[in-house]
Amino acid sequence: KANGEGIGHPYGTLPRLIMYWMTTEAVRTKNARLVLGDSLAAFMEELGLDSRSKGPRSDRVRLEQQMRRLFAARISFEGTLQADGAGAEMVEYMPIARRTVFWWSQKDPAQKALWESYVELDSEFFAAITANPVPVDLRALRALKRSPLALDLYSLLTYQAFRASKTGRPVYMTWRQMQTALGTSYASHTDLKKSIKLALAKIGAVYPGLEIGDRDGGIEVLPESTPAIASR
């Protein structure tokens, strides 16, 4: 809540971009405290957003809103437990951040502050996103920033391409598995397939090393795929 009022849930492409940025910075710096920069404009440029736009639907207004929603959110994991013939439902909650400090100017996004703004991640969330990271290309994410499905699919296929190249075996996911993994609410797998095919065309333009097979019934990622980011 902000000033006693609910701020809503994060949604759309911006929380996804922020989440990718947080994961990348956490892995790069090995620090739970992530510096957002000395101006809002500088942070927006890093995400590929237009800091000069104005109005209630501008990138600046939307980013500020979605940042506050995302950093105030918590992720829940649901599962079941079995012991001695009895079963239980289990829910685990994980906050994203434990502290945020924004020194940015609300009137002038380009104005630099005396101190740097930052977000300090929750310790469990920090450990989770840095445990087994698979690198993604932030340039590709910026190019896909207008499509939530394309961003989610790019992330999923990047991970599957990494798995396929490491094991030397293709990774296959049915349309039902794709729907579960992407969290989509399409009425039919036919509609999902059409949307994924359109998103794949966008992804192929920014990830030429991704090799997709021709197997029916889902998506097959081939081991010939190269990582989104080459190993150093």
Side-chain angles (χ1 to χ4, degrees), residues 108-185:
D108 183 5
Q111 180 179 324
K112 292 187 177 182
L114 295 177
W115 299 276
E116 290 183 316
S117 299
Y118 68 88
V119 55
E120 187 171 338
L121 303 180
D122 175 78
S123 58
E124 290 189 3
F125 179 74
F126 172 76
I129 64 175
T130 57
N132 296 289
V134 174
V136 296
D137 190 339
L138 288 178
R139 296 169 300 177
L141 295 175
R142 295 188 194 107
L144 301 172
K145 65 179 182 288
R146 300 302 177 189
S147 172
L149 177 61
L151 286 172
D152 290 345
L153 186 61
Y154 171 83
S155 177
L156 176 62
L157 295 180
T158 297
Y159 171 69
Q160 301 294 30
F162 180 82
R163 286 181 57 202
S165 64
K166 287 296 183 181
T167 62
R169 298 190 299 271
V171 177
Y172 176 73
M173 298 183 71
T174 66
W175 295 122
R176 182 181 295 277
Q177 290 172 324
M178 294 289 291
Q179 186 160 12
T180 300
L182 295 171
T184 57
S185 57

Side-chain angles (χ1 to χ4, degrees), residues 83-127:
D84 297 329
E89 295 181 359
M90 179 188 69
V91 181
E92 182 175 348
Y93 301 98
M94 182 184 295
I96 290 179
R98 65 180 302 269
R99 180 183 295 113
T100 59
V101 177
F102 302 137
W103 290 102
W104 294 326
S105 169
Q106 299 292 326
K107 295 181 179 180
D108 183 5
Q111 180 179 324
K112 292 187 177 182
L114 295 177
W115 299 276
E116 290 183 316
S117 299
Y118 68 88
V119 55
E120 187 171 338
L121 303 180
D122 175 78
S123 58
E124 290 189 3
F125 179 74
F126 172 76

